[in-house]
Amino acid sequence: MKRILNYIPTVLAAGLIMYLSLMREPHFQLPPMPIPYIDKWMHLLMYMILSAIMAGDILRDKAKPAMALAVAITVSAIYGGAIELLQEYCFPPRTGEWLDWAADTAGAIMGAGMIWLLTYLRKRGQ
């Protein structure tokens, strides 16, 4: 049971991403954002956070850092791709985009990579 509890932060982060990704568009129009490709930056940030949390949860479960890195990146990238497919085929008027998935995957690599680097630096400093 304790091992399952280690993954509550990952499940909460994944649930929030799913909710934000599949919710209906608001009935009002938001003002345009002055940041180019803001939606891609948001994808990158969401999946960076998801994979960092997941890698930390996996490490807390006593896995090796390389395993935590590989699993967090792989699962986050697959999850991002699945959400893009759901948006495209099951939740109109939402649409799936390859560039959104690329941003998801880049964020996953960055987030898990940061956790791996912090773990490496901590072990090196001991």
Side-chain angles (χ1 to χ4, degrees), residues 59-107:
L59 286 171
R60 198 171 15 267
D61 205 17
K62 307 292 186 223
K64 293 184 179 183
M67 176 62 75
L69 177 78
V71 170
I73 290 170
T74 303
V75 171
S76 296
I78 291 170
Y79 188 68
I83 286 180
E84 291 304 316
L85 290 172
L86 284 171
Q87 285 178 330
E88 182 67 26
Y89 296 110
C90 301
F91 290 89
R94 303 298 295 234
T95 58
E97 294 183 35
W98 285 104
L99 287 178
D100 286 351
W101 182 68
D104 298 344
T105 303

Side-chain angles (χ1 to χ4, degrees), residues 3 8 16 47 76 81 86 91 109 114 122 126:
R3 290 182 73 175
I8 288 176
L16 180 61
Y47 282 85
S76 296
L86 284 171
F91 290 89
I109 292 167
M114 287 185 331
R122 186 178 329 148
Q126 290 179 348

Side-chain angles (χ1 to χ4, degrees), residues 2-70:
K2 186 177 180 181
R3 290 182 73 175
I4 293 172
L5 296 178
N6 284 342
Y7 294 94
I8 288 176
T10 295
V11 171
L12 292 174
L16 180 61
I17 288 173
M18 182 172 285
Y19 173 75
L20 293 172
S21 298
L22 301 179
M23 71 180 198
R24 291 185 163 270
E25 295 286 333
H27 294 291
F28 56 89
Q29 186 67 25
L30 294 172
M33 298 297 266
I35 301 169
Y37 305 107
I38 185 70
D39 64 321
K40 306 307 180 245
W41 289 109
M42 293 307 295
H43 278 265
L44 184 103
L45 181 63
M46 287 190 306
Y47 282 85
M48 183 186 303
I49 293 168
L50 174 64
S51 70
I53 290 171
M54 189 182 308
D57 289 350
I58 294 167
L59 286 171
R60 198 171 15 267
D61 205 17
K62 307 292 186 223
K64 293 184 179 183
M67 176 62 75
L69 177 78

